[in-house]
Amino acid sequence: MAPLSIELSDVGIIAAGGVPAEILPVDSRSTASPGFVLQDGHRLMVGRTAAEQARLFPQQTISRFWDRLNTEPIRQAGFTAASHAELAYAHLKQIWPAIEAVGDEVVICVPGHYSRNSLGLLLGIARELNIDVRGFAPIALTAVNPTVDGESIHIDFHLHRCEATYLRHNGEMIQMDTASVPDAGLESLYRIWAKTAAREFMQVTRFDLFHSAASEQEVYRYLPALLEKLTDHQTVRFEMNTGEHNYHMPLQRQVMIDHARPVYAQIVDLVATLLERNELAGRPLAFQLSHRACGLPGLEDLLAAFTPSNTEELPFGAAALGAAGCWPALTGQNADRLPARHTRRPLVQHHAGEGPHTADGGTQPTHLLFLNTAYPIGVDPLVIGSSPGTDAGVIRLAGGTISAKHCSVHREGEEVILDNHSEHGTHVDGVRVEGRTVLTIGQTIAVGGPDKTFRLIRCLPADMIGIQG
């Protein structure tokens, strides 16, 4: 059975699995399950259902149990669970049945601030649910996957804290340092922005969006879409329908940034502290933003002050998919002992122009092996797809998720390049490729399903045959 990876953030737990690996539904049809629990009488409501009613029943809702993963008693009246660990158990218990059929061995990507005690509790919770955990890895370690040597700062937001992680990559990825600021997470920012939007709304329309718990919940539900619009526009239309009336007003991006400055100041101090204690000032860095950090108005502008640097946005579920891509490196050494917390791993891809050496001293694949046939790789693209016909240079496959021209492989100078041409994506070593990537010996290319997998190999020249013994 294929391995599973779980990205454990209370903003939304994400899972990836299958061959090739892909994001899985974890909460009904949703691909993210937020860390909320609501006590409804004698019943616990967990995940998205609880999050969607959190402002309706604030006294019966808890969202800090993953951030405070411990056995200390819950001091919120009315809860049947005795500790935060029991609430974490309830959340994971709801998620696991949705994904367990896909795989039976799990790597859990955890926040960087998790202590040894937190991981011990998490392992105990998993064992109670018969989850075979093969290792733990910081979210930053598996989310970032550069193909060149260098250094990165991974910025991530959880519900109740912001984290910054310093990573060095030189043949392998190493987590060098991590720091976090409690109470500077998305919950704090969303609370500020919800109140700001409601205040601006009332000044223009005279309608108080916080006059009832139901309308307040609606503001929080609408807020992510509003922030996404503010990513590309200085002014957006803020519109709310009360059932009887439709109210709207222009909302300024700068207003939202100005009100978030107290939290943003803590984030700037966090990054500055990380840079100072690792003596990174003035060195070229890449700031890698998790999908939870992407699109927060004004954040990238603040990071631009730390020069020289560039900012890259990571896709949804990057840590879960990244863990699937480097699965052997994370689990192979733990076969006979307790799961370890990994702080380093080999890069999934080798440096451009390099790769594993073969017996003839070569470093590049020469053929694509599919079933029992090896297809030569040349400067002209070798196309994989479902296109009919008899054209040379095309490997034809059938399947509902295989495009006519799904992907192509060709030699470009000293590199072998894969170009994805399909909206369904192409997977290299289980990691989805949207555009172009460099290939190396031993990697696998999957299109349309696990039964349609190619392997990159190198065929020896005729005059080299016989030296292998």
Side-chain angles (χ1 to χ4, degrees):
M1 193 176 289
L4 282 168
S5 51
I6 296 175
E7 184 173 336
L8 190 65
S9 171
D10 50 14
V11 175
I13 296 177
I14 303 167
V19 180
E22 57 186 10
I23 300 297
L24 304 172
V26 291
D27 195 339
S28 296
R29 296 183 179 180
S30 176
T31 53
S33 183
F36 285 79
V37 167
L38 191 155
Q39 184 77 51
D40 180 21
H42 296 289
R43 181 171 66 102
L44 279 180
M45 300 170 63
V46 182
R48 186 163 298 279
T49 303
E52 290 172 349
Q53 301 184 57
R55 272 76 197 180
L56 300 177
F57 306 100
Q59 298 304 315
Q60 293 104 297
T61 301
I62 291 180
S63 64
R64 290 182 177 269
F65 54 92
W66 284 117
D67 189 68
R68 300 174 178 175
L69 186 57
N70 55 45
T71 56
E72 294 179 7
I74 293 175
R75 292 181 171 83
Q76 196 159 324
F79 269 82
T80 55
S83 68
H84 292 105
E86 287 191 29
L87 295 180
Y89 172 87
H91 194 188
L92 203 56
K93 182 181 180 180
Q94 176 173 293
I95 291 171
W96 180 241
I99 61 176
E100 64 176 329
V102 180
D104 54 1
E105 296 179 347
V106 179
V107 166
I108 302 181
C109 307
V110 297
H113 75 275
Y114 266 26
S115 65
R116 184 181 295 271
N117 287 340
S118 300
L119 296 180
L121 280 172
L122 182 54
L123 183 59
I125 290 169
R127 285 178 171 169
E128 284 290 317
L129 296 170
N130 294 318
I131 301 174
D132 183 10
V133 177
R134 303 303 301 274
F136 300 102
I139 287 173
L141 187 71
T142 59
V144 176
N145 183 36
T147 57
V148 296
D149 291 345
E151 296 168 306
S152 300
I153 303 292
H154 180 263
I155 307 292
D156 200 3
F157 281 84
H158 305 291
L159 275 182
H160 300 288
R161 72 176 61 226
C162 175
E163 288 191 330
T165 303
Y166 165 40
L167 299 155
R168 180 180 294 168
H169 22 103
N170 182 14
E172 64 176 348
M173 180 82 71
I174 306 173
Q175 177 187 298
M176 304 299 295
D177 193 8
T178 188
S180 66
V181 182
D183 297 316
L186 287 183
E187 183 68 11
S188 296
L189 286 169
Y190 277 19
R191 187 182 306 114
I192 290 169
W193 284 328
K195 290 181 178 179
T196 300
R199 186 165 50 249
E200 294 287 314
F201 199 81
M202 186 168 62
Q203 289 177 358
V204 174
T205 67
R206 300 304 179 190
F207 183 80
D208 182 8
L209 291 171
F210 277 25
H211 79 286
S212 71
S215 59
E216 179 183 348
Q217 181 73 55
E218 189 66 12
V219 174
Y220 278 89
R221 187 190 69 80
Y222 183 69
L223 194 57
L226 186 66
L227 294 174
E228 185 176 353
K229 293 178 182 177
L230 286 172
T231 302
D232 301 318
H233 300 89
Q234 293 299 320
T235 304
V236 299
R237 179 186 174 97
F238 181 22
E239 185 174 6
M240 295 294 289
N241 193 321
T242 65
E244 296 179 356
H245 302 282
N246 187 48
Y247 297 95
H248 61 85
M249 58 156 284
L251 183 64
Q252 303 292 325
R253 181 175 186 267
Q254 192 58 50
V255 170
M256 302 289 270
I257 294 173
D258 290 342
H259 282 84
R261 289 197 187 282
V263 176
Y264 277 178
Q266 296 181 69
I267 297 166
V268 170
D269 290 343
L270 170 68
V271 175
T273 298
L274 196 67
L275 297 182
E276 180 179 359
R277 74 188 187 196
N278 290 284
E279 300 180 347
L280 297 174
R283 286 156 63 172
L285 295 168
F287 283 99
Q288 308 262 356
L289 303 185
S290 75
H291 75 273
R292 293 172 284 271
C294 294
L296 299 183
L299 179 62
E300 289 195 27
D301 295 335
L302 292 174
L303 296 177
F306 295 100
T307 56
S309 64
N310 65 297
T311 302
E312 301 175 20
E313 297 183 352
L314 298 171
F316 179 89
L321 289 171
C326 59
W327 175 267
L330 294 176
T331 61
Q333 56 185 318
N334 295 325
D336 299 319
R337 62 176 189 268
L338 292 175
R341 183 182 188 274
H342 299 269
T343 57
R344 61 177 64 207
R345 67 171 179 85
L347 298 183
V348 172
Q349 295 183 3
H350 298 277
H351 306 288
E354 297 182 7
H357 285 264
T358 56
D360 65 339
T363 60
Q364 297 303 326
T366 61
H367 290 70
L368 273 181
L369 181 65
F370 180 61
L371 299 178
N372 295 316
T373 304
Y375 298 85
I377 301 169
V379 294
D380 294 325
L382 177 59
V383 177
I384 301 171
S386 61
S387 175
T390 58
D391 296 341
V394 178
I395 304 174
R396 289 176 181 80
L397 303 173
T401 59
I402 299 177
S403 302
K405 184 180 181 182
H406 199 99
C407 64
S408 61
V409 177
H410 71 282
R411 187 174 303 281
E412 191 173 291
E414 296 298 318
E415 296 178 337
V416 173
I417 306 294
L418 178 139
D419 289 301
N420 173 64
H421 309 295
S422 173
E423 63 180 7
H424 299 296
T426 303
H427 293 77
V428 176
D429 284 349
V431 178
R432 184 184 176 99
V433 175
E434 298 288 354
R436 167 174 286 204
T437 190
V438 178
L439 299 172
T440 56
I441 292 173
Q443 288 187 310
T444 58
I445 301 170
V447 296
D451 59 328
K452 297 178 178 62
T453 299
F454 297 76
R455 182 172 294 278
L456 277 300
I457 65 171
R458 181 176 181 84
C459 294
L460 294 174
D463 58 359
M464 297 296 293
I465 302 299
I467 69 169
Q468 299 299 302

